[in-house]
Amino acid sequence: MAEEHLEATDRDAVFPEQALAQMRRTGLLGLLVPAEHGGCSGTLTDLVDVSMALGRVDMSVGMIFAMHCQQSEAIVRYAASPLREELLAQLAAGDLYLASVTTEPGKGGHLFRSYAPLQESDDDTLMIDRVAPIVTGGAAADGFLITMRSPHATADHHVSLVYAHRHQLRIEGAGEWCPMGMRASHSLPLTLTGSIPARQVIGQHGAFHQIAQSVFGPLAHIGWSAVWLGTAAGALSRVVRLLRDPAGRKRFDLSSQLLMTRLSRVRQRLDTVHALLRRTETLAASDVDLSDASSQLLLNSLKITASEECYRAVDELVDAVGLRHGYMQDSPTRLEKSLRDLRSAALNYSNDRLHLADGQLCLLDPDVRFV
Ligand SMILES: Cc1cc2nc3c(=O)[nH]c(=O)nc-3n(C[C@H](O)[C@H](O)[C@H](O)COP(=O)(O)OP(=O)(O)OC[C@H]3O[C@@H](n4cnc5c(N)ncnc54)[C@H](O)[C@@H]3O)c2cc1C
């Protein structure tokens, strides 16, 4: 389904409505929702496997799914009753596709800060007025998880996470979506205003950092890396099929040592990312406290390594097969699209920001303990 429409959604930079409809119909939107709430009780391994499978076909669809799962897991673990039960039932029924609003003007991707104040009013209501520079699927989402500066905050890092249903907000487009890649993610700039009942805070006011460290960070880095690996693996697979094809055998010199070395390097990059992904997935699925320095370093390392190596792997495939199949939009290898899409990986929560955090985390771990 995702493959059928990807040429049009990429060309026109529009949201993959058909793929979302399938995610609703098949229960994928409720993958991580416990079975007692009607969901699939999926594991982190399921999330990784599905994200990789979708990424093989279309990185935008994969990221839409992985980001939704990250949001839904925050509800599973941190929403209070009765909001939790209401939202989990909607997720399981495929009626709730969740968008994420963490990026903010002036702070870029910095996750632990927010400047837009969440205002409390007398009647147990919270007022939202939030500029959101980039919201994947924002025009299609049924609900939003939004970070804002907590009521009574005394510092920028006192951040609250709130849930707002689409009908509780006035949603205005604040610009165009015309990117190099990830075009079908339709990540529009939006302005969100409205009011929600106070019970729609997820977790405690001011304690978003706990959700970020236990859910948002780990699931983002693991889910995104799985999608990126899927995208690069799909690219390699299509190239290898082309080379093995009778027509490909005529076109390419399979005895070329340069070609073999390039293929080997690409595969080596992907196996490295895969090993790191599975190791991190095992750690995150265990009961350990992920906020310690060694765990955070591993999670960040996964994100940085996957974003760099998957991009480099596809870039190397472009050299391996040359202009006709590496650079042209109409090649069945789809390397041109994969490369454009994967270029976003290092920017999607800036690798530079993660390196800065990692440098500080390194100083906290003088024994250099690996987890
Ligand atoms: C396809 C896609 C979809 C996205 N979807 C969403 C979404 O749905 N919701 C959402 O909230 N966000 C979304 N994002 C945003 C993403 O998660 C990042 O937060 C965002 O891309 C960061 O934007 P930025 O590069 O402008 O900002 P920054 O992170 O501020 O980076 C800007 C520049 O500053 C540099 N820099 C960063 N920190 C420092 C520092 N401390 N010192 C010096 N230089 C620094 C970086 O290297 C970079 O060059 C999406 C991004 C992409 C690419």
Side-chain angles (χ1 to χ4, degrees):
M1 177 59 75
E3 191 153 12
E4 204 178 306
H5 299 279
L6 66 88
E7 199 183 316
T9 53
D10 180 55
R11 183 189 60 229
D12 302 336
V14 293
F15 191 79
E17 294 289 352
Q18 293 85 354
L20 177 63
Q22 285 290 90
M23 288 187 217
R24 292 185 189 280
R25 199 184 59 73
T26 55
L28 266 189
L29 289 188
L31 179 71
L32 300 184
V33 173
E36 66 261 35
H37 295 278
C40 304
S41 273
T43 61
L44 194 55
T45 303
D46 295 327
L47 168 64
V48 166
D49 291 346
V50 176
S51 298
M52 277 176 65
L54 292 175
R56 274 179 181 258
V57 181
D58 187 355
M59 193 167 130
S60 288
V61 171
M63 288 297 272
I64 287 165
F65 169 75
M67 287 169 64
H68 164 85
C69 286
Q70 172 198 357
Q71 310 299 302
S72 75
E73 184 66 5
I75 290 172
V76 170
R77 292 210 221 162
Y78 286 95
S81 294
L83 180 69
R84 180 173 184 270
E85 288 70 24
E86 289 164 25
L87 297 184
L88 293 188
Q90 292 173 27
L91 283 164
D95 294 334
L96 184 57
Y97 162 52
L98 289 164
S100 160
V101 180
T102 57
T103 304
E104 201 175 346
K107 66 153 208 189
H110 200 308
L111 201 53
F112 296 107
R113 269 193 213 153
S114 187
Y115 301 140
L118 188 61
Q119 310 273 8
E120 254 173 354
S121 82
D122 299 342
D123 58 347
D124 244 12
T125 300
L126 297 167
M127 313 297 293
I128 294 172
D129 187 350
R130 177 73 152 80
V131 176
I134 175 161
V135 188
T136 293
D142 307 296
F144 298 79
L145 286 188
I146 308 169
T147 53
M148 296 194 68
R149 190 181 162 100
S150 308
H152 318 296
T154 50
D156 291 340
H157 64 267
H158 294 160
V159 177
S160 298
L161 183 69
V162 293
Y163 170 76
H165 200 77
R166 183 168 204 91
H167 65 68
Q168 296 173 316
L169 296 170
R170 191 167 62 250
I171 302 170
E172 290 171 273
E176 300 291 313
W177 172 245
C178 192
M180 173 199 288
M182 294 303 289
R183 293 170 61 79
S185 72
H186 201 239
S187 305
L188 276 176
L190 299 175
T191 303
L192 309 171
T193 46
S195 59
I196 55 169
R199 71 183 183 96
Q200 288 184 203
V201 176
I202 308 293
Q204 302 295 313
H205 268 308
F208 172 66
H209 58 277
Q210 283 171 2
I211 303 177
Q213 278 185 337
S214 59
V215 178
F216 267 50
L219 261 69
H221 290 191
I222 291 170
W224 298 348
S225 299
V227 175
W228 299 332
L229 179 59
T231 301
L236 175 58
S237 168
R238 291 188 294 275
V239 165
V240 171
R241 283 174 201 284
L242 178 78
L243 295 176
R244 291 169 54 106
D245 184 81
R249 283 172 186 269
K250 281 196 200 130
R251 185 181 177 95
F252 296 98
D253 176 7
L254 294 195
S255 66
S256 157
Q257 292 185 355
L258 184 57
L259 178 59
M260 291 307 115
T261 304
R262 282 183 165 143
L263 287 179
S264 157
R265 280 215 199 93
V266 170
R267 181 68 196 230
Q268 177 197 352
R269 291 184 196 282
L270 301 194
D271 275 327
T272 303
V273 173
H274 186 247
L276 188 54
L277 173 63
R278 294 300 183 185
R279 170 71 198 108
T280 315
E281 171 199 315
T282 304
L283 176 80
S286 68
D287 285 338
V288 300
D289 174 11
L290 293 175
S291 67
D292 74 285
S294 307
S295 302
Q296 292 291 312
L297 279 162
L298 184 66
L299 283 158
N300 291 348
S301 224
L302 168 65
K303 192 272 171 184
I304 295 169
T305 307
S307 63
E308 290 176 352
E309 293 300 297
C310 294
Y311 176 80
R312 283 193 195 131
V314 174
D315 197 29
E316 200 149 15
L317 285 174
V318 173
D319 283 321
V321 296
L323 263 182
R324 169 68 194 94
H325 285 291
Y327 202 65
M328 299 297 163
Q329 288 187 337
D330 61 355
S331 167
T333 62
R334 300 205 298 270
L335 293 183
E336 183 268 349
K337 179 179 180 316
S338 303
L339 195 68
R340 277 190 286 115
D341 287 343
L342 279 167
R343 187 62 189 84
S344 70
L347 305 177
N348 197 352
Y349 206 89
S350 161
N351 282 1
D352 290 345
R353 262 186 208 287
L354 289 176
H355 276 304
L356 281 178
D358 280 0
Q360 287 162 3
L361 288 166
C362 261
L363 292 175
L364 296 177
D365 183 23
D367 294 334
V368 192
R369 282 187 305 269
F370 297 115
V371 283

